Amino acid sequence: MAHITKRDLGGQIARQGILIAFVLFMVGFSLANARFLDPDNIMGVVRSSAILGVMALGVTFVVISGNLDLSVGSMMSFSTIVVLDLHDKIGPTLAIPAMFAMTLCLGAFIGFLVGYLKLNSLIVTLGMLSAIHGLTLTYSGGQNMDIADKEGTWFSVFGQGEIIGIPVPILLFALLAAVLGIGLAKTPFGRKVYAVGGNGTAATFSGIPRARVVFSCYLVSAFCVATAGLIQASRSLGSQNTVGQGLELEVLAAVILGGASLMGGSGTIFKTVIGVLILGFIQNGLLLVGLQFYVQYVVTWVIIILAVWLDIAAKRGRLWSPIA
Amino acid sequence: MSVETPALRLEGIVKTFPGVRALDGVSFSVMPGEVHALMGENGAGKSTLMKVLGGILQPNEGRIYIGEEPAVMRTPLEAKAKGIVFIHQELSLAEELTVAENIYLGELPRKRFGLVDWATLERRTNDILSKLKVTFDARTRVGDLSIANQQMVEIARALTVEAKAVIFDEPTASLTDAEKVVLFDVIADLQSQGVGIIYISHRMEEIFKITDRISVLRDGQYRGTLETAQTDEEEVTQLMIGRTLDLSRNVSHHALGDVALEVRGLTCGDLYADVSFEVRRGEVLGFYGLVGAGRTEIAETLFGLRDPSAGTILLDGEETVIRSPVDAIAKGISLVPEDRKGQGLVLGMNCRDNMTLPQVDDLKAGPFVAEGSEIAIFDQYRDKLDIRTPGWKQTVGNLSGGNQQKIVIGKWLSMHPNVLIVDEPTRGIDVGSKSEIHNLIRELAAQGYAVIVISSEMPEVLHVSDRIIAMYSGRIMRTFTSDEVTEDNLIQAISGIRSEGQVA
């Protein structure tokens, strides 16, 4: 009996592990620094999480469909650079749709490779991470991109504006989360995403066009990246070529923290939003307790590993098992 | 009565899975130096029993004795260490490694500093290989060997330990006649060393050639042991098939309708050739044959998963081309696939979502899925098919095999197909649910569906079909009506034997 109990306990820890860890972090941070629970600080965390969050919404679709998208970071750099460059050339009204179109083309290309040619998504998007970075550098000639007239453009509204006191990035994040959340949970397309990720073969045997569903998920992801690029560009009105570098891992961490399984077939937009906020608060907390900015990288990695381990452990109902 | 201690003895082994009693009190023993056949149909519990013996599964009840010692085997390694060795039907070799490395995988002889002692390894390997009279040596890469020779490597692996009992699972499935002779020599050799041998096979002629006794399992229960010398094929078959299922030949009480589906000269590469048949509304057409006879491949072609290389398909008399499952479904062809968990269901999804999956695009209220209509469909088919589940929210993976299969059947019935293809309708399903599914298939035909049933179980195909097509190696050997068919002529047909004067 003792053996059974121990195993059950392991399973429970595995299932609730992220929450337990999060609560411990929060208590620790608020004890260490009184400012942590300050409303201004909380708003600041949500605001600075918006770009990451918008990207995580799209990646949630891809992960539930049973694939990965590691290209979102460098794709976000691409979107940001492109929209900043076009802003001065053709004006913001045309620059924004042009940037969205170009980013969606990249998403379509990845979707074609992974969906229709059935190539491994890890390899394809890892390759695209590097390829898109090269594309961005080629486009910008390696130069940073800046808007000439920073004071006189309405373009800054997406990153710096406020509507009824709420920052626009947060509103965009919330709006997109609502639309995509309902889309995933309530529409036939959403249902098909779960089916394809849960069991692609059975989905095919049920007459679901698997390739088209996977393709569409990468389009959703690209759309979210374009939106994130828009916010980023609008916030700073100038940017380096590498602004999104490394974000792909943070995005993935948020999605997994939210409880989407890397095996596909499970996860929700709501949970991803929670995952984004957890990540944001932990990173903010680390800064407030006086740790260097770069400690975040290590902690993010630790969180990813912890989340993946707990995900697998929750499936087997115990923390450790001799067979997979 | 012999006073000798059995090499291996099973006592009242019970193994249950949710919803299924896979092994229900199995007891038998294997004497040293005996070749003991274990027979039973698909789903009779042979593989479960082997997994219990191999330490992969733990029995819920019962005991295993090796010699006089009660044995508990928690892992495959423990089973091997206790002298129970498996020769698997599916090979488990590392193709990139050499023969010697494969044979001693995990227990390579060592020198100082943990380095592999290659000289000893090669010497020991070649000793074993010489016993097997094979033509390759210790350094050959396993991936370069034929399947038969790879099997010899598996056998060689078994000979490295002091084996008390060796279990051969369908060992001749991929062997040529010459290779079989070598295998039987090896078995005779083991026998003379006093090793107990369990030999699992469907091939009667082999069983009668090399075994001493035959034990039969049916529906997870031990059905008795026969002395090979004092029995014949008929008695064994009788015991295997049993009479617990309603085996009465089916007689149609309803008139048949028009031809729903006709196939002319359908060919798909090497998989099957020149297949022609028709199925009428209200009829159940059975496809019987051995695994690999091309039956599933025909079903997959009709469902748009394979492109035929020649031949035509006619639906309601009109020639048609089926390009994809989407296309097949639109044209009224549905397939309940052979691998329920792999192909039929999204196990992590709930019952309702699985059932309405093919028509989720059509069940819309504005841009959203009309969940009310979905629940209505689920409720309708739950009642109609008597699906036992706490509710539509239940995850399909938690249901028993029989109820899972009903979900798949319900999924297609709710699409109102013209032709329903059911591949292995009762694989891995317990007896009670089996006859329910059989009745369901008969009922569907009575309601006017054209049904094609593919099965490897003779009683099943005999029971549910109006007509039976016997296939052998990708070709139709003969089409039986229910009056002509007997177990004997059916077995002959699927073994490639054409009866006298019979034009196939």
Side-chain angles (χ1 to χ4, degrees):
Chain A
M1 276 319 281
H3 180 69
I4 302 284
T5 320
K6 201 169 106 199
R7 185 196 286 196
D8 281 357
L9 187 67
Q12 277 305 320
I13 291 175
R15 269 184 287 277
Q16 309 300 335
I18 290 298
L19 236 97
I20 297 171
F22 181 56
V23 170
L24 290 179
F25 263 112
M26 292 299 263
V27 171
F29 287 145
S30 37
L31 289 179
N33 191 323
R35 266 183 53 211
F36 186 66
L37 291 179
D38 188 89
D40 280 349
N41 186 53
I42 289 175
M43 192 59 122
V45 170
V46 178
R47 180 192 194 135
S48 62
S49 298
I51 289 177
L52 181 85
V54 166
M55 290 162 77
L57 299 176
V59 171
T60 303
F61 275 71
V62 173
V63 168
I64 293 175
S65 81
N67 294 296
L68 286 174
D69 192 348
L70 295 178
S71 69
V72 290
S74 72
M75 201 189 285
M76 199 274 259
S77 307
F78 174 84
S79 306
T80 308
I81 292 296
V82 165
V83 78
L84 286 172
D85 177 58
L86 293 181
H87 178 277
D88 284 4
K89 289 181 178 158
I90 57 176
T93 324
L94 287 176
I96 294 169
M99 177 275 276
F100 268 80
M102 288 165 81
T103 311
L104 284 172
C105 281
L106 291 176
F109 182 59
I110 298 173
F112 173 75
L113 295 179
V114 178
Y116 289 94
L117 297 191
K118 300 192 167 50
L119 305 184
N120 181 293
S121 65
L122 175 72
I123 304 301
V124 168
T125 60
L126 202 54
M128 284 301 279
L129 184 157
S130 163
I132 295 173
H133 183 51
L135 196 64
T136 311
L137 287 173
T138 311
Y139 183 91
S140 66
Q143 304 295 310
N144 291 347
M145 206 59 79
D146 278 289
I147 288 175
D149 178 13
K150 291 190 180 179
E151 303 302 320
T153 179
W154 57 266
F155 182 73
S156 61
V157 67
F158 303 107
Q160 302 170 18
E162 284 192 1
I163 296 174
I164 48 166
I166 304 171
V168 174
I170 295 182
L171 286 175
L172 283 173
F173 178 35
L175 180 72
L176 209 51
V179 170
L180 292 179
I182 292 171
L184 187 59
K186 298 287 177 193
T187 65
F189 173 69
R191 188 70 63 74
K192 290 187 221 169
V193 173
Y194 283 106
V196 164
N199 184 347
T201 310
T204 304
F205 271 76
S206 298
I208 287 176
R210 180 182 181 176
R212 199 192 301 163
V213 172
V214 171
F215 177 81
S216 306
C217 286
Y218 279 101
L219 282 188
V220 172
S221 179
F223 181 87
C224 291
V225 168
T227 309
L230 178 66
I231 298 172
Q232 175 65 43
S234 160
R235 186 159 79 179
S236 51
L237 299 179
S239 174
Q240 295 181 327
N241 290 299
T242 53
V243 61
Q245 200 169 48
L247 274 184
E248 57 280 336
L249 281 188
E250 287 192 47
V251 164
L252 196 61
V255 172
I256 299 168
L257 270 179
S261 165
L262 281 182
M263 313 289 288
S266 75
T268 66
I269 289 293
F270 178 72
K271 286 181 177 172
T272 292
V273 171
I274 299 293
V276 168
L277 294 179
I278 291 179
L279 201 63
F281 277 109
I282 289 178
Q283 293 185 343
N284 173 259
L286 291 172
L287 286 179
L288 288 184
V289 295
L291 288 168
Q292 294 289 348
F293 168 71
Y294 20 85
V295 176
Q296 282 185 15
Y297 292 116
V298 180
V299 172
T300 306
W301 178 83
V302 170
I303 291 169
I304 294 177
I305 297 300
L306 191 68
V308 170
W309 176 40
L310 292 175
D311 172 40
I312 292 173
K315 275 209 187 64
R316 347 184 240 241
R318 52 202 281 196
L319 290 172
W320 185 86
S321 157
I323 49 171
Chain B
M1 275 305 284
S2 163
V3 288
E4 212 179 348
T5 315
L8 178 68
R9 184 155 64 92
L10 304 180
E11 237 181 54
I13 302 290
V14 173
K15 177 71 200 174
T16 57
F17 297 111
V20 186
R21 216 167 159 85
L23 290 175
D24 193 0
V26 174
S27 310
F28 73 95
S29 53
V30 183
M31 307 309 288
E34 176 193 35
V35 182
H36 195 117
L38 184 64
M39 298 196 73
E41 292 190 288
N42 290 334
K46 285 173 306 190
S47 8
T48 310
L49 185 61
M50 290 309 109
K51 283 183 185 153
V52 167
L53 274 177
I56 297 168
L57 294 175
Q58 297 306 313
N60 301 87
E61 287 170 41
R63 282 177 184 209
I64 301 167
Y65 294 89
I66 298 171
E68 284 168 354
E69 299 288 312
V72 176
M73 289 158 299
R74 279 175 232 97
T75 64
L77 273 179
E78 218 173 314
K80 192 177 177 186
K82 292 189 175 180
I84 297 185
V85 179
F86 277 85
I87 313 295
H88 290 283
Q89 183 180 3
E90 284 155 38
L91 303 166
S92 51
L93 297 170
E95 297 200 343
E96 293 302 322
L97 299 184
T98 65
V99 169
E101 287 167 313
N102 265 287
I103 292 176
Y104 285 96
L105 203 61
E107 43 206 2
L108 294 170
R110 298 293 172 88
K111 291 192 294 193
R112 267 184 308 166
F113 310 123
L115 296 174
V116 174
D117 184 350
W118 295 107
T120 311
L121 175 65
E122 216 163 292
R123 184 168 40 74
R124 285 194 202 162
T125 305
N126 283 327
D127 284 350
I128 293 173
L129 293 180
S130 64
K131 279 193 222 162
L132 294 174
K133 305 184 190 88
V134 291
T135 52
F136 52 88
D137 69 11
R139 292 192 196 179
T140 317
R141 200 182 72 101
V142 162
D144 295 334
L145 296 174
S146 68
I147 297 293
N149 277 331
Q150 291 190 10
Q151 192 149 29
M152 285 299 168
V153 176
E154 283 264 355
I155 293 171
R157 205 191 246 178
L159 300 180
T160 61
V161 294
E162 186 87 356
K164 301 263 185 356
V166 180
I167 298 159
F168 289 87
D169 187 3
E170 296 274 4
T172 57
S174 47
L175 298 189
T176 65
D177 287 342
E179 289 161 343
K180 278 183 204 168
V181 173
V182 178
L183 174 73
F184 293 157
D185 280 352
V186 172
I187 291 177
D189 220 34
L190 287 170
Q191 218 177 337
S192 65
Q193 291 165 25
V195 176
I197 289 160
I198 297 181
Y199 191 87
I200 300 173
S201 176
H202 283 108
R203 301 189 183 187
M204 289 282 188
E205 74 277 8
E206 285 171 15
I207 298 280
F208 279 88
K209 191 168 164 189
I210 67 165
T211 68
D212 300 306
R213 289 193 297 165
I214 302 170
S215 285
V216 176
L217 295 183
R218 189 206 318 148
D219 300 326
Q221 290 174 336
Y222 169 72
R223 288 289 158 177
T225 300
L226 305 165
E227 297 279 338
T228 310
Q230 290 158 26
T231 182
D232 54 19
E233 292 193 18
E234 204 183 327
E235 191 179 1
V236 175
T237 312
Q238 198 83 322
L239 209 54
M240 272 168 59
I241 292 174
R243 289 289 174 243
T244 51
L245 282 174
D246 174 12
L247 282 183
S248 54
R249 293 297 148 68
N250 153 73
V251 187
S252 291
H253 299 295
H254 54 273
L256 297 185
D258 301 333
V259 173
L261 169 75
E262 187 180 351
V263 167
R264 290 187 195 147
L266 203 63
T267 301
C268 186
D270 309 332
L271 296 168
Y272 60 85
D274 200 22
V275 168
S276 302
F277 63 87
E278 56 176 46
V279 55
R280 293 174 174 276
R281 290 181 201 285
E283 182 181 43
V284 179
L285 178 64
F287 272 79
Y288 187 61
L290 298 170
V291 173
R295 299 162 304 157
T296 297
E297 289 76 7
I298 293 173
E300 288 173 353
T301 308
L302 293 175
F303 195 59
L305 290 160
R306 288 176 192 276
D307 289 327
S309 43
T312 49
I313 298 169
L314 293 90
L315 279 170
D316 290 322
E318 297 213 10
E319 203 172 314
T320 184
V321 177
I322 298 161
R323 289 184 189 84
S324 64
V326 183
D327 199 17
I329 293 165
K331 287 172 174 153
I333 300 178
S334 293
L335 172 66
V336 176
E338 117 188 89
D339 179 0
R340 185 169 56 247
K341 293 182 179 176
Q343 303 168 330
L345 295 164
V346 183
L347 291 178
M349 265 189 163
N350 66 41
C351 294
R352 180 198 70 183
D353 293 1
N354 264 287
M355 197 181 270
T356 55
L357 197 52
Q359 52 182 327
V360 70
D361 270 325
D362 303 325
L363 298 171
K364 277 197 293 195
F368 304 124
V369 181
E371 302 204 5
S373 326
E374 283 192 291
I375 294 170
I377 289 174
F378 173 77
D379 284 346
Q380 183 189 346
Y381 286 91
R382 180 197 58 204
D383 295 344
K384 191 167 175 179
L385 306 181
D386 192 21
I387 299 170
R388 267 146 283 168
T389 158
W392 63 262
K393 288 180 182 160
Q394 184 68 26
T395 306
V396 159
N398 294 338
L399 299 184
S400 73
N403 283 310
Q404 286 182 352
Q405 187 71 308
K406 287 179 188 172
I407 297 265
V408 184
I409 293 175
K411 170 166 92 175
W412 293 120
L413 290 187
S414 67
M415 301 290 290
H416 307 293
N418 295 316
V419 180
L420 180 67
I421 306 169
V422 193
D423 196 353
E424 299 292 355
T426 62
R427 178 173 286 174
I429 288 176
D430 61 288
V431 199
S433 306
K434 266 189 186 182
S435 52
E436 272 184 55
I437 301 248
H438 291 161
N439 293 339
L440 184 62
I441 290 172
R442 289 307 314 162
E443 231 172 81
L444 292 174
Q447 287 165 23
Y449 288 102
V451 186
I452 294 175
V453 170
I454 299 171
S455 176
S456 302
E457 295 187 37
M458 191 190 282
E460 175 165 285
V461 85
L462 286 174
H463 178 50
V464 302
S465 315
D466 294 304
R467 287 185 301 136
I468 297 171
I469 288 178
M471 289 198 65
Y472 170 72
S473 176
R475 288 177 185 272
I476 291 183
M477 296 305 288
R478 190 175 163 186
T479 304
F480 297 92
T481 62
S482 62
D483 330 319
E484 306 171 328
V485 69
T486 66
E487 286 176 17
D488 288 341
N489 61 20
L490 197 50
I491 287 177
Q492 281 186 345
I494 64 153
S495 316
I497 305 165
R498 285 166 202 257
S499 48
E500 293 290 312
Q502 176 67 43
V503 182

